[in-house]
Structure formats: C-alpha cells, structure tokens
Amino acid sequence: MSDGVPLVYVGMTGDMLHNGHINILNCASQLGTVVVGLLTDQAVASYKRVPVLDYNQRKSVIEQLRTVDRVVPQNTLDYLPNLLELRPQYVVHGSDWKVGVQSGTRQAVIDTISEWEGELVEPDYTEGISSTMMVSSLQSNGVSPEFRISRMRRILAVTGQIRAIEVHNGLTGIIAEESSVVCEGETREFDAFWLSSLTHSASKGKPDNQIVDSTMMTSTINEIFDVTTKPMIVDLDNGGPIEHFGINVRRLERLGVSAVIIEDKIGKKRNSLFEDGIDQRQDSIEDFSKKIQLGKDALVGSDFMIIARIESLILNKGMDDALERASAFVASGADGIMIHSKSKNADEILAFIRTFRESDETTPVVVVPSTYSSTREDDLYAMGANVIIYANHLIRAAFPAMRRTAETLLREKRALEAEEQLMPISDIIRLVPVD
Ligand code: SPV
Ligand code: MG
C-alpha cells in the first residue's frame, strides 16, 4: 500500500498484447496502483516457448499503457520473490490459470498473499483470444527467413538449451513442429529441426553417402519450411569440397536455415554409426579450419551458425585429439562444436564436455545421444551441453509401423485387421492444413 492506495500486482508475459490483457489491466487499475511483474525471457522459457519479443521490447510497450503504473521484472514463473518484496494488496490474473501448467503457481500465490490478507482477483478469461493463439495464427502464414535463422541464437541466448529432432519431409516437419506435451509443470516441445543426412537419404531409399545432392536438399528444406516455423540445423556431412562450401552455406542462409554442422572427415562417406566405419579418415586441423573460415566469410548476416563436428571419438583418435580440434575449430570461427560418440554410455561425451568447458564456457556444444540413449537431457545440459539432437527417431518409428501394416494387408488380404494400427482417414485429412 502506498499513500493509502492499494498495490495491485499483475504478472504477465505481454508478448502479443490483446483485449484479454487490457481487461485484466483495466480491472487491476480499478483496485489501486498497478505494478506489472513482467516475466523475463528466462522465466517464460521455463514453462513455454521463448517469447517472440524480448524483455525490453515487451517492457517498452507495457509501460506505455495508462492502466500500468510501474513494470518490474519477474525473474521466475514463481511469483513469490516479487510478492514477498512488494506485499501487494491484490494480485490480478485471468481465471484461465485455475487449470493447466500454472495451477501450482496460482496456489502458491494464494497461500503467500494470505499471510498479509492479500486477495487474488480473477477476472473471467476472455474467450477466443490468447497470445499463443495469436502467435500460431501469425505463424500459420509462415515466418521470414531472417526470423527463423535468428531464432536459434535467440533460444540459445535465453535458455542455453535446444532440443532438436530429425525431420526429412513436410510431414515429419509438421510432427516436429506440433508435438507438445504438458509434463511436470511445463509445456515441452522441440525447439529445432535436424535435417539428418542419414534419414533424409533413407527416406529416399538411398544410402547415407552424400548421394542426396544440394538440389534435393533445397527442395526438402523448402517443403519443410512451407509448413513450419522452427529453426533448422542442417547436416552437411563434411561440407563438400572447400570450393563449394561458401556457395552452399550462403544458399542455406538465404533459405532461412539457422545452422549447418560439418564433420571433420574426408574421403568416402560412411555414416558414423556404421559398424565398419573405422577406415574413415579425418581431415587435417589446418584444412578443416580453413573450410570453417571460408564458410564464415561467405555468409551475408551474422546469425547463421557453422558448427564443427569432431569425429575423433568415433574414430578412436582419443580425447586429446578431440579437445585439440575443438579449440582449433573455435579459434577459426566455428560457432559451435558437435562432439559425437557411438559408445553405449555417455562417459566419453561427458568427459569431453567437462574438459572443454574448463577453457571455453560459452561456445555451444551439440550432442547426439543415439547410442547412449539412456542418458537424460538434464544430465547432458548440466555438464555443459547446449544442443541435443534426436537424430533419427521419427524414421525409425515410421519404418516398422509401415512394414507391419504392409505385412498385415498381405496376410489378411483385406484392410480391416490393419485398421486398428492406423490413424483414421479423417485425421490424416485434417493433419495437413488445406490453405
Ligand atoms: C545423421 O543423422 O545423419 C548424423 C548423425 O550425421 S549420425 O547418424 O549419428 O552420424
Ligand atoms: Mg549425417
């Protein structure tokens, strides 16, 4: 309370202002002096996707509203630190948080403000509008290449964590874009796509040996970008001949790809998880560093990332070789390091990251837990990894399901028995938007 006027606290994200927010703030301003606790980017990202506008952009809009007296940062989804400091007489929030991921937060607010007889006021939720709805409606028209490219660095800057999943066509793009679960108080989604050389080639019935050329890759990227908005990391094998690399990265940048990963191998291409891949040769540090530099120089903007993938652990060249390469590649301009392993556990990956982080706290580290699949994301992040790629999981899910159905049709000589394994025709028609 200040000068006898009650203090009213409104926590909000305010990414896309709409009449629902205005209703809440109108209601709040009738009760007293309104302090908006504006969730920081990190606070928002802790329970849903990183906001489109950053904290300062959102703040500059909200503090212009005549119903708002002051804007303060709310650093966590949890209201308590601000409530304990400000001890508002009222907290105002739309009634929508009674259910869903914020219901726990709501209860904690009620318990806390009851200590000084504060009151929670919950105006009716304004039906038919929400920021999430607005963002997805805007995004249904697609996003610009610039927005998509910069989104990867923005997520890394806000959360330091990216969860990427393999995509290889428009349909898997839709699945990766839309998959979402509410779990342990947060909405969990994939942050980015991985255009995997393995699954992209496999989806075309081809081996993972660079037979899928840049024309096919461009076509697939466009197909995926037609129906999605999230950032994409492209697997560019070893980047191709050095004289093609600059042209290739510039093309991908123009399309709106956020990052490429190139591996430090030369010669005949084999997938790293291939059993007899040990005869693969590694590029020299000098030549691969030159390739990275050339790629960086070829880019038009500053958001696109070139990530160097180190194959030393895959090729049994040892940890020291991996670490030496990592610092050399960062020194030559790499925006990130991917360290790969085909070990069944994450020991060598964790050992690499631990030592790498002793001398480099900032360069993003990418990992691909295909063989060490029992390791949880949180353990990898805790050790200092930033990007986790589920590199081949959608195609590995689809293939056995399709084969099972094909065999059922052959066995039964009709489709009835296969039906129970299938999504209804009406769902597949609705899955892909008509316009
Ligand atoms: C891919 O997904 O094509 C990769 C990762 O390069 S791996 O298959 O593990 O080599
Ligand atoms: Mg690959």
PDB file of all heavy atoms in Angstrom, residues 387-413:
ATOM      1  N   VAL A 387      22.941 -28.258 -27.152  1.00  0.00           N
ATOM      2  CA  VAL A 387      22.002 -28.696 -28.188  1.00  0.00           C
ATOM      3  C   VAL A 387      21.972 -30.222 -28.167  1.00  0.00           C
ATOM      4  O   VAL A 387      23.027 -30.866 -28.245  1.00  0.00           O
ATOM      5  CB  VAL A 387      22.424 -28.189 -29.591  1.00  0.00           C
ATOM      6  CG1 VAL A 387      21.438 -28.652 -30.653  1.00  0.00           C
ATOM      7  CG2 VAL A 387      22.555 -26.671 -29.610  1.00  0.00           C
ATOM      8  N   ILE A 388      20.759 -30.766 -28.025  1.00  0.00           N
ATOM      9  CA  ILE A 388      20.613 -32.225 -28.011  1.00  0.00           C
ATOM     10  C   ILE A 388      19.789 -32.601 -29.229  1.00  0.00           C
ATOM     11  O   ILE A 388      18.684 -32.089 -29.426  1.00  0.00           O
ATOM     12  CB  ILE A 388      19.926 -32.681 -26.711  1.00  0.00           C
ATOM     13  CG1 ILE A 388      20.848 -32.340 -25.526  1.00  0.00           C
ATOM     14  CG2 ILE A 388      19.599 -34.174 -26.767  1.00  0.00           C
ATOM     15  CD1 ILE A 388      20.286 -32.669 -24.173  1.00  0.00           C
ATOM     16  N   ILE A 389      20.362 -33.486 -30.037  1.00  0.00           N
ATOM     17  CA  ILE A 389      19.683 -33.851 -31.285  1.00  0.00           C
ATOM     18  C   ILE A 389      19.224 -35.308 -31.225  1.00  0.00           C
ATOM     19  O   ILE A 389      20.041 -36.209 -31.026  1.00  0.00           O
ATOM     20  CB  ILE A 389      20.632 -33.668 -32.498  1.00  0.00           C
ATOM     21  CG1 ILE A 389      21.079 -32.203 -32.627  1.00  0.00           C
ATOM     22  CG2 ILE A 389      19.948 -34.123 -33.790  1.00  0.00           C
ATOM     23  CD1 ILE A 389      22.047 -31.940 -33.783  1.00  0.00           C
ATOM     24  N   TYR A 390      17.907 -35.493 -31.392  1.00  0.00           N
ATOM     25  CA  TYR A 390      17.366 -36.847 -31.589  1.00  0.00           C
ATOM     26  C   TYR A 390      17.423 -37.077 -33.101  1.00  0.00           C
ATOM     27  O   TYR A 390      16.561 -36.613 -33.845  1.00  0.00           O
ATOM     28  CB  TYR A 390      15.948 -36.936 -31.030  1.00  0.00           C
ATOM     29  CG  TYR A 390      15.936 -36.765 -29.521  1.00  0.00           C
ATOM     30  CD1 TYR A 390      15.593 -35.556 -28.930  1.00  0.00           C
ATOM     31  CD2 TYR A 390      16.332 -37.814 -28.694  1.00  0.00           C
ATOM     32  CE1 TYR A 390      15.628 -35.402 -27.541  1.00  0.00           C
ATOM     33  CE2 TYR A 390      16.362 -37.665 -27.309  1.00  0.00           C
ATOM     34  CZ  TYR A 390      16.013 -36.455 -26.742  1.00  0.00           C
ATOM     35  OH  TYR A 390      16.060 -36.318 -25.371  1.00  0.00           O
ATOM     36  N   ALA A 391      18.470 -37.791 -33.535  1.00  0.00           N
ATOM     37  CA  ALA A 391      18.908 -37.661 -34.927  1.00  0.00           C
ATOM     38  C   ALA A 391      18.165 -38.524 -35.937  1.00  0.00           C
ATOM     39  O   ALA A 391      18.269 -38.272 -37.142  1.00  0.00           O
ATOM     40  CB  ALA A 391      20.400 -37.957 -35.015  1.00  0.00           C
ATOM     41  N   ASN A 392      17.469 -39.555 -35.496  1.00  0.00           N
ATOM     42  CA  ASN A 392      16.924 -40.488 -36.495  1.00  0.00           C
ATOM     43  C   ASN A 392      15.617 -41.139 -36.026  1.00  0.00           C
ATOM     44  O   ASN A 392      15.202 -42.160 -36.561  1.00  0.00           O
ATOM     45  CB  ASN A 392      17.966 -41.598 -36.759  1.00  0.00           C
ATOM     46  CG  ASN A 392      18.615 -42.061 -35.460  1.00  0.00           C
ATOM     47  OD1 ASN A 392      17.911 -42.338 -34.486  1.00  0.00           O
ATOM     48  ND2 ASN A 392      19.924 -42.120 -35.438  1.00  0.00           N
ATOM     49  N   HIS A 393      14.995 -40.546 -35.022  1.00  0.00           N
ATOM     50  CA  HIS A 393      13.938 -41.276 -34.311  1.00  0.00           C
ATOM     51  C   HIS A 393      12.613 -41.345 -35.047  1.00  0.00           C
ATOM     52  O   HIS A 393      11.894 -42.340 -34.915  1.00  0.00           O
ATOM     53  CB  HIS A 393      13.811 -40.717 -32.901  1.00  0.00           C
ATOM     54  CG  HIS A 393      15.100 -40.910 -32.134  1.00  0.00           C
ATOM     55  ND1 HIS A 393      16.206 -40.122 -32.353  1.00  0.00           N
ATOM     56  CD2 HIS A 393      15.462 -41.855 -31.250  1.00  0.00           C
ATOM     57  CE1 HIS A 393      17.210 -40.569 -31.600  1.00  0.00           C
ATOM     58  NE2 HIS A 393      16.778 -41.616 -30.921  1.00  0.00           N
ATOM     59  N   LEU A 394      12.286 -40.321 -35.830  1.00  0.00           N
ATOM     60  CA  LEU A 394      10.976 -40.378 -36.497  1.00  0.00           C
ATOM     61  C   LEU A 394      10.983 -41.429 -37.602  1.00  0.00           C
ATOM     62  O   LEU A 394      10.033 -42.201 -37.744  1.00  0.00           O
ATOM     63  CB  LEU A 394      10.591 -38.999 -37.048  1.00  0.00           C
ATOM     64  CG  LEU A 394      10.296 -37.949 -35.965  1.00  0.00           C
ATOM     65  CD1 LEU A 394       9.843 -36.639 -36.591  1.00  0.00           C
ATOM     66  CD2 LEU A 394       9.266 -38.445 -34.960  1.00  0.00           C
ATOM     67  N   ILE A 395      12.067 -41.507 -38.347  1.00  0.00           N
ATOM     68  CA  ILE A 395      12.072 -42.514 -39.418  1.00  0.00           C
ATOM     69  C   ILE A 395      12.154 -43.922 -38.827  1.00  0.00           C
ATOM     70  O   ILE A 395      11.545 -44.860 -39.355  1.00  0.00           O
ATOM     71  CB  ILE A 395      13.204 -42.264 -40.443  1.00  0.00           C
ATOM     72  CG1 ILE A 395      12.786 -42.866 -41.782  1.00  0.00           C
ATOM     73  CG2 ILE A 395      14.544 -42.828 -40.005  1.00  0.00           C
ATOM     74  CD1 ILE A 395      13.550 -42.344 -42.965  1.00  0.00           C
ATOM     75  N   ARG A 396      12.849 -44.046 -37.720  1.00  0.00           N
ATOM     76  CA  ARG A 396      12.930 -45.378 -37.091  1.00  0.00           C
ATOM     77  C   ARG A 396      11.587 -45.774 -36.498  1.00  0.00           C
ATOM     78  O   ARG A 396      11.301 -46.962 -36.337  1.00  0.00           O
ATOM     79  CB  ARG A 396      14.029 -45.394 -36.023  1.00  0.00           C
ATOM     80  CG  ARG A 396      15.428 -45.424 -36.639  1.00  0.00           C
ATOM     81  CD  ARG A 396      16.501 -45.183 -35.600  1.00  0.00           C
ATOM     82  NE  ARG A 396      16.495 -46.161 -34.539  1.00  0.00           N
ATOM     83  CZ  ARG A 396      16.927 -45.909 -33.293  1.00  0.00           C
ATOM     84  NH1 ARG A 396      17.380 -44.710 -32.967  1.00  0.00           N
ATOM     85  NH2 ARG A 396      16.907 -46.862 -32.395  1.00  0.00           N
ATOM     86  N   ALA A 397      10.777 -44.791 -36.155  1.00  0.00           N
ATOM     87  CA  ALA A 397       9.420 -45.103 -35.670  1.00  0.00           C
ATOM     88  C   ALA A 397       8.528 -45.480 -36.850  1.00  0.00           C
ATOM     89  O   ALA A 397       7.721 -46.416 -36.769  1.00  0.00           O
ATOM     90  CB  ALA A 397       8.839 -43.896 -34.950  1.00  0.00           C
ATOM     91  N   ALA A 398       8.679 -44.763 -37.946  1.00  0.00           N
ATOM     92  CA  ALA A 398       7.759 -44.950 -39.076  1.00  0.00           C
ATOM     93  C   ALA A 398       7.989 -46.263 -39.808  1.00  0.00           C
ATOM     94  O   ALA A 398       7.039 -46.950 -40.199  1.00  0.00           O
ATOM     95  CB  ALA A 398       7.914 -43.781 -40.056  1.00  0.00           C
ATOM     96  N   PHE A 399       9.265 -46.620 -39.982  1.00  0.00           N
ATOM     97  CA  PHE A 399       9.565 -47.781 -40.825  1.00  0.00           C
ATOM     98  C   PHE A 399       8.921 -49.077 -40.312  1.00  0.00           C
ATOM     99  O   PHE A 399       8.196 -49.753 -41.048  1.00  0.00           O
ATOM    100  CB  PHE A 399      11.084 -47.935 -40.987  1.00  0.00           C
ATOM    101  CG  PHE A 399      11.456 -48.996 -41.976  1.00  0.00           C
ATOM    102  CD1 PHE A 399      11.565 -48.694 -43.325  1.00  0.00           C
ATOM    103  CD2 PHE A 399      11.658 -50.310 -41.563  1.00  0.00           C
ATOM    104  CE1 PHE A 399      11.884 -49.682 -44.250  1.00  0.00           C
ATOM    105  CE2 PHE A 399      11.970 -51.304 -42.482  1.00  0.00           C
ATOM    106  CZ  PHE A 399      12.085 -50.985 -43.829  1.00  0.00           C
ATOM    107  N   PRO A 400       9.121 -49.438 -39.040  1.00  0.00           N
ATOM    108  CA  PRO A 400       8.481 -50.680 -38.576  1.00  0.00           C
ATOM    109  C   PRO A 400       6.958 -50.609 -38.609  1.00  0.00           C
ATOM    110  O   PRO A 400       6.295 -51.616 -38.893  1.00  0.00           O
ATOM    111  CB  PRO A 400       8.981 -50.853 -37.137  1.00  0.00           C
ATOM    112  CG  PRO A 400       9.727 -49.634 -36.786  1.00  0.00           C
ATOM    113  CD  PRO A 400       9.979 -48.841 -38.021  1.00  0.00           C
ATOM    114  N   ALA A 401       6.404 -49.421 -38.365  1.00  0.00           N
ATOM    115  CA  ALA A 401       4.940 -49.298 -38.393  1.00  0.00           C
ATOM    116  C   ALA A 401       4.432 -49.525 -39.817  1.00  0.00           C
ATOM    117  O   ALA A 401       3.432 -50.231 -40.038  1.00  0.00           O
ATOM    118  CB  ALA A 401       4.525 -47.924 -37.885  1.00  0.00           C
ATOM    119  N   MET A 402       5.117 -48.989 -40.785  1.00  0.00           N
ATOM    120  CA  MET A 402       4.674 -49.152 -42.186  1.00  0.00           C
ATOM    121  C   MET A 402       4.841 -50.606 -42.636  1.00  0.00           C
ATOM    122  O   MET A 402       3.973 -51.168 -43.293  1.00  0.00           O
ATOM    123  CB  MET A 402       5.454 -48.198 -43.098  1.00  0.00           C
ATOM    124  CG  MET A 402       5.083 -46.740 -42.861  1.00  0.00           C
ATOM    125  SD  MET A 402       5.641 -45.626 -44.158  1.00  0.00           S
ATOM    126  CE  MET A 402       7.333 -45.406 -43.742  1.00  0.00           C
ATOM    127  N   ARG A 403       5.978 -51.185 -42.236  1.00  0.00           N
ATOM    128  CA  ARG A 403       6.200 -52.579 -42.638  1.00  0.00           C
ATOM    129  C   ARG A 403       5.147 -53.511 -42.015  1.00  0.00           C
ATOM    130  O   ARG A 403       4.616 -54.404 -42.682  1.00  0.00           O
ATOM    131  CB  ARG A 403       7.611 -53.010 -42.218  1.00  0.00           C
ATOM    132  CG  ARG A 403       7.840 -54.489 -42.397  1.00  0.00           C
ATOM    133  CD  ARG A 403       9.273 -54.847 -42.625  1.00  0.00           C
ATOM    134  NE  ARG A 403       9.665 -54.611 -44.009  1.00  0.00           N
ATOM    135  CZ  ARG A 403      10.902 -54.714 -44.457  1.00  0.00           C
ATOM    136  NH1 ARG A 403      11.874 -55.005 -43.645  1.00  0.00           N
ATOM    137  NH2 ARG A 403      11.179 -54.520 -45.727  1.00  0.00           N
ATOM    138  N   ARG A 404       4.832 -53.258 -40.743  1.00  0.00           N
ATOM    139  CA  ARG A 404       3.837 -54.095 -40.057  1.00  0.00           C
ATOM    140  C   ARG A 404       2.490 -54.019 -40.794  1.00  0.00           C
ATOM    141  O   ARG A 404       1.832 -55.033 -41.024  1.00  0.00           O
ATOM    142  CB  ARG A 404       3.679 -53.608 -38.608  1.00  0.00           C
ATOM    143  CG  ARG A 404       2.984 -54.586 -37.680  1.00  0.00           C
ATOM    144  CD  ARG A 404       3.107 -54.210 -36.209  1.00  0.00           C
ATOM    145  NE  ARG A 404       2.823 -52.813 -35.949  1.00  0.00           N
ATOM    146  CZ  ARG A 404       3.704 -51.946 -35.444  1.00  0.00           C
ATOM    147  NH1 ARG A 404       4.920 -52.336 -35.139  1.00  0.00           N
ATOM    148  NH2 ARG A 404       3.367 -50.687 -35.236  1.00  0.00           N
ATOM    149  N   THR A 405       2.130 -52.822 -41.197  1.00  0.00           N
ATOM    150  CA  THR A 405       0.853 -52.662 -41.894  1.00  0.00           C
ATOM    151  C   THR A 405       0.889 -53.365 -43.251  1.00  0.00           C
ATOM    152  O   THR A 405      -0.062 -54.072 -43.626  1.00  0.00           O
ATOM    153  CB  THR A 405       0.539 -51.157 -42.063  1.00  0.00           C
ATOM    154  OG1 THR A 405       0.424 -50.602 -40.763  1.00  0.00           O
ATOM    155  CG2 THR A 405      -0.741 -50.934 -42.827  1.00  0.00           C
ATOM    156  N   ALA A 406       1.999 -53.193 -43.967  1.00  0.00           N
ATOM    157  CA  ALA A 406       2.105 -53.845 -45.280  1.00  0.00           C
ATOM    158  C   ALA A 406       1.963 -55.362 -45.119  1.00  0.00           C
ATOM    159  O   ALA A 406       1.245 -56.024 -45.884  1.00  0.00           O
ATOM    160  CB  ALA A 406       3.448 -53.494 -45.919  1.00  0.00           C
ATOM    161  N   GLU A 407       2.598 -55.916 -44.099  1.00  0.00           N
ATOM    162  CA  GLU A 407       2.541 -57.373 -43.895  1.00  0.00           C
ATOM    163  C   GLU A 407       1.137 -57.824 -43.458  1.00  0.00           C
ATOM    164  O   GLU A 407       0.679 -58.898 -43.839  1.00  0.00           O
ATOM    165  CB  GLU A 407       3.603 -57.791 -42.870  1.00  0.00           C
ATOM    166  CG  GLU A 407       5.012 -57.702 -43.474  1.00  0.00           C
ATOM    167  CD  GLU A 407       6.146 -57.927 -42.464  1.00  0.00           C
ATOM    168  OE1 GLU A 407       5.864 -58.091 -41.262  1.00  0.00           O
ATOM    169  OE2 GLU A 407       7.302 -57.912 -42.910  1.00  0.00           O
ATOM    170  N   THR A 408       0.488 -56.963 -42.669  1.00  0.00           N
ATOM    171  CA  THR A 408      -0.879 -57.311 -42.255  1.00  0.00           C
ATOM    172  C   THR A 408      -1.803 -57.379 -43.480  1.00  0.00           C
ATOM    173  O   THR A 408      -2.621 -58.305 -43.619  1.00  0.00           O
ATOM    174  CB  THR A 408      -1.414 -56.283 -41.231  1.00  0.00           C
ATOM    175  OG1 THR A 408      -0.493 -56.221 -40.154  1.00  0.00           O
ATOM    176  CG2 THR A 408      -2.777 -56.672 -40.692  1.00  0.00           C
ATOM    177  N   LEU A 409      -1.672 -56.431 -44.383  1.00  0.00           N
ATOM    178  CA  LEU A 409      -2.511 -56.434 -45.603  1.00  0.00           C
ATOM    179  C   LEU A 409      -2.257 -57.705 -46.417  1.00  0.00           C
ATOM    180  O   LEU A 409      -3.182 -58.354 -46.922  1.00  0.00           O
ATOM    181  CB  LEU A 409      -2.208 -55.199 -46.466  1.00  0.00           C
ATOM    182  CG  LEU A 409      -2.553 -53.833 -45.843  1.00  0.00           C
ATOM    183  CD1 LEU A 409      -2.033 -52.704 -46.737  1.00  0.00           C
ATOM    184  CD2 LEU A 409      -4.047 -53.686 -45.619  1.00  0.00           C
ATOM    185  N   LEU A 410      -0.981 -58.092 -46.503  1.00  0.00           N
ATOM    186  CA  LEU A 410      -0.641 -59.293 -47.281  1.00  0.00           C
ATOM    187  C   LEU A 410      -1.225 -60.548 -46.638  1.00  0.00           C
ATOM    188  O   LEU A 410      -1.772 -61.424 -47.308  1.00  0.00           O
ATOM    189  CB  LEU A 410       0.879 -59.441 -47.379  1.00  0.00           C
ATOM    190  CG  LEU A 410       1.593 -58.437 -48.291  1.00  0.00           C
ATOM    191  CD1 LEU A 410       3.104 -58.597 -48.172  1.00  0.00           C
ATOM    192  CD2 LEU A 410       1.153 -58.624 -49.745  1.00  0.00           C
ATOM    193  N   ARG A 411      -1.102 -60.596 -45.305  1.00  0.00           N
ATOM    194  CA  ARG A 411      -1.571 -61.782 -44.598  1.00  0.00           C
ATOM    195  C   ARG A 411      -3.087 -61.920 -44.679  1.00  0.00           C
ATOM    196  O   ARG A 411      -3.626 -62.985 -44.954  1.00  0.00           O
ATOM    197  CB  ARG A 411      -1.146 -61.692 -43.128  1.00  0.00           C
ATOM    198  CG  ARG A 411      -0.405 -62.925 -42.658  1.00  0.00           C
ATOM    199  CD  ARG A 411      -0.009 -62.929 -41.196  1.00  0.00           C
ATOM    200  NE  ARG A 411       0.023 -61.654 -40.554  1.00  0.00           N
ATOM    201  CZ  ARG A 411       1.126 -60.915 -40.398  1.00  0.00           C
ATOM    202  NH1 ARG A 411       2.290 -61.346 -40.848  1.00  0.00           N
ATOM    203  NH2 ARG A 411       1.066 -59.759 -39.774  1.00  0.00           N
ATOM    204  N   GLU A 412      -3.780 -60.813 -44.450  1.00  0.00           N
ATOM    205  CA  GLU A 412      -5.249 -60.863 -44.299  1.00  0.00           C
ATOM    206  C   GLU A 412      -5.991 -60.721 -45.617  1.00  0.00           C
ATOM    207  O   GLU A 412      -7.192 -60.966 -45.687  1.00  0.00           O
ATOM    208  CB  GLU A 412      -5.715 -59.764 -43.333  1.00  0.00           C
ATOM    209  CG  GLU A 412      -5.058 -59.793 -41.967  1.00  0.00           C
ATOM    210  CD  GLU A 412      -5.407 -61.046 -41.177  1.00  0.00           C
ATOM    211  OE1 GLU A 412      -6.439 -61.693 -41.480  1.00  0.00           O
ATOM    212  OE2 GLU A 412      -4.623 -61.392 -40.262  1.00  0.00           O
ATOM    213  N   LYS A 413      -5.326 -60.236 -46.635  1.00  0.00           N
ATOM    214  CA  LYS A 413      -5.952 -59.961 -47.939  1.00  0.00           C
ATOM    215  C   LYS A 413      -7.137 -58.996 -47.805  1.00  0.00           C
ATOM    216  O   LYS A 413      -8.107 -59.068 -48.564  1.00  0.00           O
ATOM    217  CB  LYS A 413      -6.393 -61.248 -48.617  1.00  0.00           C
ATOM    218  CG  LYS A 413      -5.208 -62.112 -49.051  1.00  0.00           C
ATOM    219  CD  LYS A 413      -5.692 -63.432 -49.439  1.00  0.00           C
ATOM    220  CE  LYS A 413      -5.353 -64.025 -50.720  1.00  0.00           C
ATOM    221  NZ  LYS A 413      -5.961 -65.288 -50.989  1.00  0.00           N
TER     222      LYS A 413
END
